[in-house]
Amino acid sequence: MLKIRLVRAFSLLVLLIFAGCNFPGAAPDKPAVTNNLSKGITIASPAPTETAAPTPTPTPIPEARIAQGDLALFQGEYERGRQEYLKAALGSQDIEIQASAMLGIGRAYFEEYNYTQAVETFKSLINEHPANQSLANAYYFLAESYMQQQMPAEAAEAYAKYLELKPGVLDDIIQKRRAEALMAAGNYTGAIEAYQAAITAGSDRGQA
């Protein structure tokens, strides 16, 4: 009997040993975690993208502003032209640049049929600036503005000032315009003399 009990106890012990491998509480084997850093592999963070600095736009020199204003007037963009002339005048201490800018501003007003403002601008150029290369043209456009305002006597005087400053250039054309202004003003004697001067200047040009 004792031998039989020993055999049973041994058999039970063997069963318990084999059964312990399948207990619910036994943790399953975990796969090994590979650490890249442990292998000496460095994963670099993406470099930040550098934003290129905008290329600064150079400020046009006053002479270029004058040219841009002239182009704007040619294209019929009178407000833009006036702004370009104004920037040119403010950006330079040169008398010629300032005078040319004022002439352009006056021309812009003239092209917009704002003859009152045109006259004021041309008169400011003539009266407030020293002698400059724009004076003759200022007198011409002043005369044209006066004609549009039905002020022929003032126009004739302005045409005469143009002829004083630029003799021999457009004498026949300007004298004819002056004659028309004198005629409109009732100065018939002066008108005849101006017409004769226009004819003479035209003949001289044809012979040149």
PDB file of all heavy atoms in Angstrom, residues 69-100:
ATOM      1  N   GLY A  69       7.262 110.121 -64.754  1.00  0.00           N
ATOM      2  CA  GLY A  69       6.144 111.060 -64.834  1.00  0.00           C
ATOM      3  C   GLY A  69       5.813 111.417 -66.267  1.00  0.00           C
ATOM      4  O   GLY A  69       4.636 111.477 -66.653  1.00  0.00           O
ATOM      5  N   ASP A  70       6.858 111.641 -67.081  1.00  0.00           N
ATOM      6  CA  ASP A  70       6.629 111.950 -68.497  1.00  0.00           C
ATOM      7  C   ASP A  70       5.924 110.790 -69.203  1.00  0.00           C
ATOM      8  O   ASP A  70       5.015 110.996 -70.016  1.00  0.00           O
ATOM      9  CB  ASP A  70       7.960 112.237 -69.192  1.00  0.00           C
ATOM     10  CG  ASP A  70       8.596 113.542 -68.726  1.00  0.00           C
ATOM     11  OD1 ASP A  70       7.875 114.374 -68.135  1.00  0.00           O
ATOM     12  OD2 ASP A  70       9.806 113.727 -68.948  1.00  0.00           O
ATOM     13  N   LEU A  71       6.360 109.564 -68.875  1.00  0.00           N
ATOM     14  CA  LEU A  71       5.734 108.389 -69.491  1.00  0.00           C
ATOM     15  C   LEU A  71       4.273 108.269 -69.070  1.00  0.00           C
ATOM     16  O   LEU A  71       3.401 107.955 -69.887  1.00  0.00           O
ATOM     17  CB  LEU A  71       6.503 107.128 -69.101  1.00  0.00           C
ATOM     18  CG  LEU A  71       5.938 105.794 -69.633  1.00  0.00           C
ATOM     19  CD1 LEU A  71       5.925 105.791 -71.150  1.00  0.00           C
ATOM     20  CD2 LEU A  71       6.750 104.619 -69.097  1.00  0.00           C
ATOM     21  N   ALA A  72       3.999 108.540 -67.799  1.00  0.00           N
ATOM     22  CA  ALA A  72       2.621 108.468 -67.306  1.00  0.00           C
ATOM     23  C   ALA A  72       1.738 109.482 -68.026  1.00  0.00           C
ATOM     24  O   ALA A  72       0.603 109.173 -68.401  1.00  0.00           O
ATOM     25  CB  ALA A  72       2.595 108.699 -65.793  1.00  0.00           C
ATOM     26  N   LEU A  73       2.252 110.694 -68.246  1.00  0.00           N
ATOM     27  CA  LEU A  73       1.475 111.699 -68.973  1.00  0.00           C
ATOM     28  C   LEU A  73       1.228 111.243 -70.403  1.00  0.00           C
ATOM     29  O   LEU A  73       0.115 111.412 -70.932  1.00  0.00           O
ATOM     30  CB  LEU A  73       2.221 113.033 -68.981  1.00  0.00           C
ATOM     31  CG  LEU A  73       1.694 114.098 -68.005  1.00  0.00           C
ATOM     32  CD1 LEU A  73       1.817 113.611 -66.570  1.00  0.00           C
ATOM     33  CD2 LEU A  73       2.441 115.412 -68.185  1.00  0.00           C
ATOM     34  N   PHE A  74       2.221 110.656 -71.020  1.00  0.00           N
ATOM     35  CA  PHE A  74       2.070 110.168 -72.393  1.00  0.00           C
ATOM     36  C   PHE A  74       0.996 109.085 -72.466  1.00  0.00           C
ATOM     37  O   PHE A  74       0.253 108.993 -73.446  1.00  0.00           O
ATOM     38  CB  PHE A  74       3.408 109.631 -72.890  1.00  0.00           C
ATOM     39  CG  PHE A  74       3.353 109.048 -74.278  1.00  0.00           C
ATOM     40  CD1 PHE A  74       3.302 109.860 -75.395  1.00  0.00           C
ATOM     41  CD2 PHE A  74       3.331 107.671 -74.462  1.00  0.00           C
ATOM     42  CE1 PHE A  74       3.237 109.322 -76.673  1.00  0.00           C
ATOM     43  CE2 PHE A  74       3.271 107.123 -75.731  1.00  0.00           C
ATOM     44  CZ  PHE A  74       3.222 107.949 -76.852  1.00  0.00           C
ATOM     45  N   GLN A  75       0.902 108.276 -71.400  1.00  0.00           N
ATOM     46  CA  GLN A  75      -0.076 107.189 -71.369  1.00  0.00           C
ATOM     47  C   GLN A  75      -1.436 107.636 -70.841  1.00  0.00           C
ATOM     48  O   GLN A  75      -2.355 106.828 -70.742  1.00  0.00           O
ATOM     49  CB  GLN A  75       0.464 106.047 -70.503  1.00  0.00           C
ATOM     50  CG  GLN A  75       1.707 105.382 -71.085  1.00  0.00           C
ATOM     51  CD  GLN A  75       2.319 104.357 -70.158  1.00  0.00           C
ATOM     52  OE1 GLN A  75       2.128 104.395 -68.940  1.00  0.00           O
ATOM     53  NE2 GLN A  75       3.056 103.409 -70.716  1.00  0.00           N
ATOM     54  N   GLY A  76      -1.560 108.910 -70.512  1.00  0.00           N
ATOM     55  CA  GLY A  76      -2.839 109.425 -70.021  1.00  0.00           C
ATOM     56  C   GLY A  76      -3.088 109.162 -68.551  1.00  0.00           C
ATOM     57  O   GLY A  76      -4.202 109.381 -68.065  1.00  0.00           O
ATOM     58  N   GLU A  77      -2.080 108.751 -67.799  1.00  0.00           N
ATOM     59  CA  GLU A  77      -2.228 108.490 -66.360  1.00  0.00           C
ATOM     60  C   GLU A  77      -1.755 109.733 -65.604  1.00  0.00           C
ATOM     61  O   GLU A  77      -0.656 109.769 -65.043  1.00  0.00           O
ATOM     62  CB  GLU A  77      -1.427 107.244 -65.962  1.00  0.00           C
ATOM     63  CG  GLU A  77      -1.881 105.986 -66.693  1.00  0.00           C
ATOM     64  CD  GLU A  77      -1.052 104.769 -66.328  1.00  0.00           C
ATOM     65  OE1 GLU A  77      -0.348 104.812 -65.305  1.00  0.00           O
ATOM     66  OE2 GLU A  77      -1.101 103.777 -67.069  1.00  0.00           O
ATOM     67  N   TYR A  78      -2.598 110.735 -65.574  1.00  0.00           N
ATOM     68  CA  TYR A  78      -2.187 112.047 -65.087  1.00  0.00           C
ATOM     69  C   TYR A  78      -1.952 112.083 -63.581  1.00  0.00           C
ATOM     70  O   TYR A  78      -1.011 112.743 -63.116  1.00  0.00           O
ATOM     71  CB  TYR A  78      -3.219 113.092 -65.492  1.00  0.00           C
ATOM     72  CG  TYR A  78      -3.490 113.083 -66.972  1.00  0.00           C
ATOM     73  CD1 TYR A  78      -4.782 112.915 -67.482  1.00  0.00           C
ATOM     74  CD2 TYR A  78      -2.451 113.205 -67.885  1.00  0.00           C
ATOM     75  CE1 TYR A  78      -5.022 112.886 -68.843  1.00  0.00           C
ATOM     76  CE2 TYR A  78      -2.687 113.169 -69.254  1.00  0.00           C
ATOM     77  CZ  TYR A  78      -3.969 113.005 -69.724  1.00  0.00           C
ATOM     78  OH  TYR A  78      -4.197 112.962 -71.078  1.00  0.00           O
ATOM     79  N   GLU A  79      -2.764 111.375 -62.824  1.00  0.00           N
ATOM     80  CA  GLU A  79      -2.572 111.359 -61.375  1.00  0.00           C
ATOM     81  C   GLU A  79      -1.257 110.674 -61.022  1.00  0.00           C
ATOM     82  O   GLU A  79      -0.501 111.144 -60.159  1.00  0.00           O
ATOM     83  CB  GLU A  79      -3.745 110.653 -60.694  1.00  0.00           C
ATOM     84  CG  GLU A  79      -3.619 110.547 -59.170  1.00  0.00           C
ATOM     85  CD  GLU A  79      -3.502 111.900 -58.493  1.00  0.00           C
ATOM     86  OE1 GLU A  79      -4.054 112.888 -59.017  1.00  0.00           O
ATOM     87  OE2 GLU A  79      -2.846 111.964 -57.439  1.00  0.00           O
ATOM     88  N   ARG A  80      -0.975 109.549 -61.672  1.00  0.00           N
ATOM     89  CA  ARG A  80       0.285 108.844 -61.401  1.00  0.00           C
ATOM     90  C   ARG A  80       1.468 109.720 -61.813  1.00  0.00           C
ATOM     91  O   ARG A  80       2.477 109.787 -61.107  1.00  0.00           O
ATOM     92  CB  ARG A  80       0.341 107.516 -62.157  1.00  0.00           C
ATOM     93  CG  ARG A  80       1.607 106.706 -61.856  1.00  0.00           C
ATOM     94  CD  ARG A  80       1.499 105.311 -62.431  1.00  0.00           C
ATOM     95  NE  ARG A  80       1.557 105.285 -63.876  1.00  0.00           N
ATOM     96  CZ  ARG A  80       2.717 105.237 -64.561  1.00  0.00           C
ATOM     97  NH1 ARG A  80       3.868 105.227 -63.921  1.00  0.00           N
ATOM     98  NH2 ARG A  80       2.702 105.186 -65.878  1.00  0.00           N
ATOM     99  N   GLY A  81       1.337 110.402 -62.940  1.00  0.00           N
ATOM    100  CA  GLY A  81       2.401 111.296 -63.374  1.00  0.00           C
ATOM    101  C   GLY A  81       2.652 112.394 -62.364  1.00  0.00           C
ATOM    102  O   GLY A  81       3.797 112.713 -62.035  1.00  0.00           O
ATOM    103  N   ARG A  82       1.573 112.974 -61.836  1.00  0.00           N
ATOM    104  CA  ARG A  82       1.708 114.045 -60.859  1.00  0.00           C
ATOM    105  C   ARG A  82       2.413 113.543 -59.597  1.00  0.00           C
ATOM    106  O   ARG A  82       3.258 114.239 -59.018  1.00  0.00           O
ATOM    107  CB  ARG A  82       0.324 114.603 -60.530  1.00  0.00           C
ATOM    108  CG  ARG A  82       0.354 115.898 -59.753  1.00  0.00           C
ATOM    109  CD  ARG A  82      -0.924 116.699 -59.908  1.00  0.00           C
ATOM    110  NE  ARG A  82      -2.114 115.892 -59.798  1.00  0.00           N
ATOM    111  CZ  ARG A  82      -2.997 115.738 -60.788  1.00  0.00           C
ATOM    112  NH1 ARG A  82      -2.806 116.345 -61.943  1.00  0.00           N
ATOM    113  NH2 ARG A  82      -4.077 115.009 -60.638  1.00  0.00           N
ATOM    114  N   GLN A  83       2.099 112.317 -59.182  1.00  0.00           N
ATOM    115  CA  GLN A  83       2.747 111.748 -58.006  1.00  0.00           C
ATOM    116  C   GLN A  83       4.237 111.512 -58.247  1.00  0.00           C
ATOM    117  O   GLN A  83       5.064 111.741 -57.351  1.00  0.00           O
ATOM    118  CB  GLN A  83       2.056 110.430 -57.626  1.00  0.00           C
ATOM    119  CG  GLN A  83       0.638 110.588 -57.090  1.00  0.00           C
ATOM    120  CD  GLN A  83       0.591 111.456 -55.853  1.00  0.00           C
ATOM    121  OE1 GLN A  83       1.428 111.339 -54.957  1.00  0.00           O
ATOM    122  NE2 GLN A  83      -0.409 112.330 -55.789  1.00  0.00           N
ATOM    123  N   GLU A  84       4.589 111.063 -59.437  1.00  0.00           N
ATOM    124  CA  GLU A  84       6.003 110.846 -59.751  1.00  0.00           C
ATOM    125  C   GLU A  84       6.757 112.177 -59.734  1.00  0.00           C
ATOM    126  O   GLU A  84       7.869 112.269 -59.200  1.00  0.00           O
ATOM    127  CB  GLU A  84       6.149 110.176 -61.114  1.00  0.00           C
ATOM    128  CG  GLU A  84       5.632 108.746 -61.182  1.00  0.00           C
ATOM    129  CD  GLU A  84       6.465 107.776 -60.353  1.00  0.00           C
ATOM    130  OE1 GLU A  84       7.582 108.134 -59.929  1.00  0.00           O
ATOM    131  OE2 GLU A  84       5.983 106.648 -60.132  1.00  0.00           O
ATOM    132  N   TYR A  85       6.166 113.211 -60.316  1.00  0.00           N
ATOM    133  CA  TYR A  85       6.808 114.524 -60.315  1.00  0.00           C
ATOM    134  C   TYR A  85       6.978 115.058 -58.889  1.00  0.00           C
ATOM    135  O   TYR A  85       8.022 115.625 -58.547  1.00  0.00           O
ATOM    136  CB  TYR A  85       5.985 115.521 -61.132  1.00  0.00           C
ATOM    137  CG  TYR A  85       5.958 115.246 -62.608  1.00  0.00           C
ATOM    138  CD1 TYR A  85       4.747 115.206 -63.309  1.00  0.00           C
ATOM    139  CD2 TYR A  85       7.128 115.028 -63.335  1.00  0.00           C
ATOM    140  CE1 TYR A  85       4.714 114.974 -64.680  1.00  0.00           C
ATOM    141  CE2 TYR A  85       7.089 114.783 -64.699  1.00  0.00           C
ATOM    142  CZ  TYR A  85       5.883 114.747 -65.362  1.00  0.00           C
ATOM    143  OH  TYR A  85       5.846 114.513 -66.719  1.00  0.00           O
ATOM    144  N   LEU A  86       5.961 114.856 -58.081  1.00  0.00           N
ATOM    145  CA  LEU A  86       6.017 115.347 -56.705  1.00  0.00           C
ATOM    146  C   LEU A  86       7.134 114.650 -55.931  1.00  0.00           C
ATOM    147  O   LEU A  86       7.896 115.293 -55.188  1.00  0.00           O
ATOM    148  CB  LEU A  86       4.669 115.127 -56.016  1.00  0.00           C
ATOM    149  CG  LEU A  86       4.570 115.603 -54.559  1.00  0.00           C
ATOM    150  CD1 LEU A  86       4.838 117.091 -54.465  1.00  0.00           C
ATOM    151  CD2 LEU A  86       3.199 115.273 -53.990  1.00  0.00           C
ATOM    152  N   LYS A  87       7.248 113.335 -56.086  1.00  0.00           N
ATOM    153  CA  LYS A  87       8.314 112.590 -55.412  1.00  0.00           C
ATOM    154  C   LYS A  87       9.685 113.041 -55.886  1.00  0.00           C
ATOM    155  O   LYS A  87      10.637 113.115 -55.104  1.00  0.00           O
ATOM    156  CB  LYS A  87       8.130 111.100 -55.654  1.00  0.00           C
ATOM    157  CG  LYS A  87       6.918 110.496 -54.954  1.00  0.00           C
ATOM    158  CD  LYS A  87       6.734 109.035 -55.336  1.00  0.00           C
ATOM    159  CE  LYS A  87       5.480 108.457 -54.692  1.00  0.00           C
ATOM    160  NZ  LYS A  87       5.253 107.041 -55.111  1.00  0.00           N
ATOM    161  N   ALA A  88       9.788 113.350 -57.173  1.00  0.00           N
ATOM    162  CA  ALA A  88      11.064 113.835 -57.709  1.00  0.00           C
ATOM    163  C   ALA A  88      11.437 115.169 -57.069  1.00  0.00           C
ATOM    164  O   ALA A  88      12.593 115.390 -56.688  1.00  0.00           O
ATOM    165  CB  ALA A  88      10.974 113.981 -59.222  1.00  0.00           C
ATOM    166  N   ALA A  89      10.462 116.071 -56.949  1.00  0.00           N
ATOM    167  CA  ALA A  89      10.727 117.384 -56.369  1.00  0.00           C
ATOM    168  C   ALA A  89      11.125 117.273 -54.903  1.00  0.00           C
ATOM    169  O   ALA A  89      12.044 117.960 -54.435  1.00  0.00           O
ATOM    170  CB  ALA A  89       9.497 118.279 -56.523  1.00  0.00           C
ATOM    171  N   LEU A  90      10.439 116.392 -54.169  1.00  0.00           N
ATOM    172  CA  LEU A  90      10.727 116.244 -52.747  1.00  0.00           C
ATOM    173  C   LEU A  90      12.037 115.504 -52.500  1.00  0.00           C
ATOM    174  O   LEU A  90      12.638 115.660 -51.431  1.00  0.00           O
ATOM    175  CB  LEU A  90       9.582 115.483 -52.058  1.00  0.00           C
ATOM    176  CG  LEU A  90       8.225 116.201 -52.038  1.00  0.00           C
ATOM    177  CD1 LEU A  90       7.160 115.304 -51.423  1.00  0.00           C
ATOM    178  CD2 LEU A  90       8.329 117.510 -51.263  1.00  0.00           C
ATOM    179  N   GLY A  91      12.474 114.743 -53.480  1.00  0.00           N
ATOM    180  CA  GLY A  91      13.675 113.936 -53.290  1.00  0.00           C
ATOM    181  C   GLY A  91      14.939 114.573 -53.801  1.00  0.00           C
ATOM    182  O   GLY A  91      15.991 113.931 -53.822  1.00  0.00           O
ATOM    183  N   SER A  92      14.877 115.842 -54.216  1.00  0.00           N
ATOM    184  CA  SER A  92      16.068 116.485 -54.762  1.00  0.00           C
ATOM    185  C   SER A  92      16.121 117.946 -54.346  1.00  0.00           C
ATOM    186  O   SER A  92      15.092 118.608 -54.198  1.00  0.00           O
ATOM    187  CB  SER A  92      16.067 116.376 -56.295  1.00  0.00           C
ATOM    188  OG  SER A  92      17.154 117.072 -56.855  1.00  0.00           O
ATOM    189  N   GLN A  93      17.352 118.434 -54.168  1.00  0.00           N
ATOM    190  CA  GLN A  93      17.570 119.852 -53.899  1.00  0.00           C
ATOM    191  C   GLN A  93      18.013 120.588 -55.165  1.00  0.00           C
ATOM    192  O   GLN A  93      18.266 121.794 -55.119  1.00  0.00           O
ATOM    193  CB  GLN A  93      18.646 120.012 -52.809  1.00  0.00           C
ATOM    194  CG  GLN A  93      18.267 119.412 -51.472  1.00  0.00           C
ATOM    195  CD  GLN A  93      17.037 120.073 -50.867  1.00  0.00           C
ATOM    196  OE1 GLN A  93      16.894 121.293 -50.950  1.00  0.00           O
ATOM    197  NE2 GLN A  93      16.160 119.288 -50.263  1.00  0.00           N
ATOM    198  N   ASP A  94      18.097 119.865 -56.268  1.00  0.00           N
ATOM    199  CA  ASP A  94      18.537 120.446 -57.536  1.00  0.00           C
ATOM    200  C   ASP A  94      17.430 121.332 -58.107  1.00  0.00           C
ATOM    201  O   ASP A  94      16.290 120.886 -58.273  1.00  0.00           O
ATOM    202  CB  ASP A  94      18.893 119.333 -58.517  1.00  0.00           C
ATOM    203  CG  ASP A  94      19.553 119.864 -59.778  1.00  0.00           C
ATOM    204  OD1 ASP A  94      18.874 120.559 -60.552  1.00  0.00           O
ATOM    205  OD2 ASP A  94      20.741 119.562 -59.989  1.00  0.00           O
ATOM    206  N   ILE A  95      17.772 122.568 -58.414  1.00  0.00           N
ATOM    207  CA  ILE A  95      16.787 123.519 -58.928  1.00  0.00           C
ATOM    208  C   ILE A  95      16.174 123.032 -60.232  1.00  0.00           C
ATOM    209  O   ILE A  95      14.966 123.155 -60.462  1.00  0.00           O
ATOM    210  CB  ILE A  95      17.430 124.903 -59.126  1.00  0.00           C
ATOM    211  CG1 ILE A  95      17.851 125.496 -57.782  1.00  0.00           C
ATOM    212  CG2 ILE A  95      16.455 125.849 -59.830  1.00  0.00           C
ATOM    213  CD1 ILE A  95      16.705 125.710 -56.816  1.00  0.00           C
ATOM    214  N   GLU A  96      16.991 122.462 -61.097  1.00  0.00           N
ATOM    215  CA  GLU A  96      16.488 122.002 -62.393  1.00  0.00           C
ATOM    216  C   GLU A  96      15.501 120.844 -62.226  1.00  0.00           C
ATOM    217  O   GLU A  96      14.488 120.778 -62.930  1.00  0.00           O
ATOM    218  CB  GLU A  96      17.651 121.576 -63.295  1.00  0.00           C
ATOM    219  CG  GLU A  96      18.568 122.710 -63.719  1.00  0.00           C
ATOM    220  CD  GLU A  96      17.869 123.751 -64.588  1.00  0.00           C
ATOM    221  OE1 GLU A  96      16.821 123.426 -65.188  1.00  0.00           O
ATOM    222  OE2 GLU A  96      18.364 124.889 -64.657  1.00  0.00           O
ATOM    223  N   ILE A  97      15.803 119.935 -61.300  1.00  0.00           N
ATOM    224  CA  ILE A  97      14.890 118.815 -61.041  1.00  0.00           C
ATOM    225  C   ILE A  97      13.568 119.333 -60.491  1.00  0.00           C
ATOM    226  O   ILE A  97      12.482 118.933 -60.941  1.00  0.00           O
ATOM    227  CB  ILE A  97      15.513 117.816 -60.057  1.00  0.00           C
ATOM    228  CG1 ILE A  97      16.717 117.115 -60.691  1.00  0.00           C
ATOM    229  CG2 ILE A  97      14.486 116.784 -59.603  1.00  0.00           C
ATOM    230  CD1 ILE A  97      16.381 116.199 -61.830  1.00  0.00           C
ATOM    231  N   GLN A  98      13.630 120.247 -59.549  1.00  0.00           N
ATOM    232  CA  GLN A  98      12.412 120.785 -58.948  1.00  0.00           C
ATOM    233  C   GLN A  98      11.581 121.546 -59.982  1.00  0.00           C
ATOM    234  O   GLN A  98      10.357 121.424 -60.020  1.00  0.00           O
ATOM    235  CB  GLN A  98      12.774 121.687 -57.775  1.00  0.00           C
ATOM    236  CG  GLN A  98      13.392 120.936 -56.599  1.00  0.00           C
ATOM    237  CD  GLN A  98      13.728 121.855 -55.434  1.00  0.00           C
ATOM    238  OE1 GLN A  98      13.673 123.085 -55.564  1.00  0.00           O
ATOM    239  NE2 GLN A  98      14.081 121.269 -54.298  1.00  0.00           N
ATOM    240  N   ALA A  99      12.251 122.332 -60.827  1.00  0.00           N
ATOM    241  CA  ALA A  99      11.535 123.088 -61.849  1.00  0.00           C
ATOM    242  C   ALA A  99      10.899 122.159 -62.874  1.00  0.00           C
ATOM    243  O   ALA A  99       9.746 122.358 -63.279  1.00  0.00           O
ATOM    244  CB  ALA A  99      12.492 124.063 -62.538  1.00  0.00           C
ATOM    245  N   SER A 100      11.644 121.134 -63.277  1.00  0.00           N
ATOM    246  CA  SER A 100      11.098 120.165 -64.236  1.00  0.00           C
ATOM    247  C   SER A 100       9.905 119.432 -63.638  1.00  0.00           C
ATOM    248  O   SER A 100       8.918 119.154 -64.336  1.00  0.00           O
ATOM    249  CB  SER A 100      12.188 119.173 -64.636  1.00  0.00           C
ATOM    250  OG  SER A 100      11.718 118.254 -65.587  1.00  0.00           O
TER     251      SER A 100
END
